[in-house]
Amino acid sequence: MWPDNETERDFLNFSGVADTVAEIIVQARGRPISIGVSGAWGIGKSSMIKLTQASLAERPRQEGEREFIFVEFNAWLYQGYDDARAALMDVIASKLEIEARARQKGVEKAKSLLKRVNWLRAAKLVAGSAAAMSFGLPPTGLLGEIWGLGQRAISSGVDANLLEDAGAKAGEVAEVGKGLLNPAEQTSPPKEIQALRDNFEETLEELGVTLVVLIDDLDRCLPETTISTLEAIRLFLFLKNTAFVIAADNDMIKHAVKKHFEGVPDDKLITNYFDKLIQVPIRVPPLGTQEVRAYMMMLFVDNSELSPDIKETIRQGICSQLRQTWQGKRVDRAFVQSLHQAIPQKLIGKFDTADRLAPLMTTASGILGNPRLIKRFLNALSIRMSISNAQGVGVDEAVLAKLLLFERLGNPAAYSELMQKVSLNDAGKPTFLSEWEEKANAGKELTLDDPWKDQFFKEWLTLPPALANTDLRGALYVSREHIPLITPEDRLSSEAAELLTALLQHPDMAANLKDRLTALARSETTVIMDRLLDRARQEQEWGVPPILIACLTLTEVDPPQGPRLAALLRERPAVQIRANIIPKIGDQPWSQSVFDEWEKGQISAPVKAAIKKQRK
């Protein structure tokens, strides 16, 4: 299995672009610069950010050049749990204070910067509380706690406990006020913002560094969080000795800006807003067939039993060859084998898989060379092969890969019909494909009707191995999380089978099926949950994936299914857990046992905070 994480090791031939971004920052020589790294979801923007940071960090510093220090900020992690604007300000100020203490210079400037950030956060808190009270709502934060003490005095009278709590809260108020700004000074938010900008520049000057702020996953955020982060970026933009590298899909950012300026008919305003933030736009290059083939081979090498040194030698050799593909050089199985004399036969077989799949992975509309989707495809293939091996099914990986490709990228109606014909054939063979495969491989004219007439299917027919005379029942069995394999032992009624198919194809619409699910027998909901949990095990990221909605709906209909879902969630790796799943399952009777198990692992700080908040 391959984790869906960014990497500082170049698997995508992005080093040249990353080095260019780094050189732009170096050549700015302290002048403020903002660079936008754009590209579609999953194309490799996060890896580009990491590679840029590595390029800057490893670059030999010339005489007179300032040192680079880095702040990494992921707005998506703060979404729903902190104000992204305030969080970014706090992360920057805290980083500079740490650097100042380590260098033993600029400490007072850095501390003053952090105090000003705290003041602005406190000012926002007061404003928010005042707004809440004006609408008749209880205030939030520290003011909210003081307000709560007043309510206790009115309703229950003054007692020793109340006096003790009031004394503690008064001390807390004094502590918050201490070290911020002198209350005797005439100040205001605009003055403090300008003072903060001045203080920020002075701190960088005294430290003698250039601050590089790396913003990632902005296009994953809700519009409100996106705008909040952009506003914080704007606060620090165009100040000396700063560089911002912002990774985001341009279309998603423009959508957020458009929503923010809702009602404004002029799209030019939206474009101008974005263009003023981004001085240098750089687009992540799309992958061609050579890059896709090389990427898949490097993934297989990375998961092999070769030593780290040999893996790195192969990676460097592939990347070097990729930089010469414009001269006609190829990255294929033969070339990769030439990089090391003793590549295991099993790994050579994986290279054959990459050779076969790369052209379709590059051109098929469902993937189009997207690295994240390629990795998810290979993970799904790996899981199905594991199921096959564990249960003694013995499916050929090439057959399974070809079927999985059709399942993910082909016409759903055609895939469903293929599976039905396999189920109806006594030998489990799709014999109806025979004539089509023969014509496609011979390059003859092939005229097909719906749902078979799309170009992808014609290309898929030529992909080895041919399937017309292959028993596909084993492949069907290990693929049943997508198309249910209904056996006589399952004893599902036609109604239950229809509901199962609907839940697997559109899990996010499960709530609309609740009344029909309620009418099913317990034995049938148990089989349906079996299939849903099989699908859920394929998920690599546990925020609120659609399959979770389907599972939760079924536990509402049949509560004894709840502990089964809880068992699956407890087993999820800590790196897969995201904070937004916590409120989604927080009201379930079994959720506390899941939270207890997650807290034993290395879950992220936002997940810990979300669990703590949920338990309150």
Side-chain angles (χ1 to χ4, degrees), residues 147-165:
W147 182 82
L149 292 175
Q151 293 298 102
R152 278 172 56 189
I154 293 170
S155 60
S156 307
V158 178
D159 57 20
N161 288 336
L162 179 62
L163 290 174
E164 182 179 345
D165 290 346

Side-chain angles (χ1 to χ4, degrees), residues 300-335:
F300 287 134
V301 167
D302 204 43
N303 260 16
S304 72
E305 296 178 357
L306 294 173
S307 70
D309 289 346
I310 293 173
K311 290 179 183 180
E312 182 59 17
T313 298
I314 293 174
R315 187 193 69 80
Q316 291 181 6
I318 290 174
C319 286
S320 176
Q321 184 81 342
L322 281 174
R323 286 192 285 271
Q324 301 178 67
T325 52
W326 64 275
Q327 297 176 339
K329 300 288 182 68
R330 281 178 56 84
V331 175
D332 52 20
R333 178 180 54 77
F335 169 74

Side-chain angles (χ1 to χ4, degrees), residues 34-38 244-248 250 274 277-284:
S34 60
I35 301 169
V37 178
S38 66
F244 279 79
V245 184
I246 304 162
N250 284 2
F274 185 71
L277 286 172
I278 304 298
Q279 294 171 296
V280 183
I282 292 180
R283 191 159 189 86
V284 176

Side-chain angles (χ1 to χ4, degrees), residues 24-197:
I24 290 171
I25 294 171
V26 171
Q27 292 301 323
R29 302 190 186 284
R31 295 187 300 274
I33 188 80
S34 60
I35 301 169
V37 178
S38 66
W41 174 90
I43 198 67
K45 299 186 296 296
S46 298
S47 293
M48 182 76 79
I49 288 277
K50 286 287 187 184
L51 290 168
T52 299
Q53 180 176 348
S55 179
L56 282 171
E58 295 166 5
R59 184 180 181 277
R61 193 148 48 104
Q62 304 299 318
E63 185 177 350
E65 283 186 352
R66 301 168 73 94
E67 182 182 349
F68 294 105
I69 60 174
F70 303 93
V71 168
E72 299 175 60
F73 185 77
N74 188 322
W76 190 49
L77 294 179
Y78 293 91
Q79 183 165 277
Y81 301 97
D82 197 358
D83 173 20
R85 181 190 297 107
L88 176 57
M89 292 165 56
D90 191 49
V91 168
I92 290 174
S94 297
K95 174 68 174 181
L96 290 180
E97 187 187 32
I98 291 169
E99 289 290 335
R101 290 185 185 280
R103 298 161 191 269
Q104 297 184 344
K105 62 179 180 179
V107 176
E108 291 306 315
K109 293 286 186 186
K111 286 171 66 176
S112 176
L113 178 65
L114 190 56
K115 290 175 187 177
R116 293 185 186 281
V117 169
N118 287 338
W119 187 90
L120 288 171
R121 294 193 82 161
K124 180 175 176 59
L125 171 65
V126 170
S129 294
M133 295 176 73
S134 70
F135 285 105
L137 301 172
T140 58
L142 188 54
L143 289 185
E145 295 177 32
I146 297 169
W147 182 82
L149 292 175
Q151 293 298 102
R152 278 172 56 189
I154 293 170
S155 60
S156 307
V158 178
D159 57 20
N161 288 336
L162 179 62
L163 290 174
E164 182 179 345
D165 290 346
K169 207 50 65 182
E172 195 173 337
V173 171
E175 187 63 30
V176 169
K178 189 198 312 180
L180 292 179
L181 298 176
N182 186 340
E185 293 177 1
Q186 291 296 317
T187 189
S188 65
K191 289 182 179 178
E192 281 307 311
I193 288 172
Q194 185 56 48
L196 180 141
R197 286 168 61 86

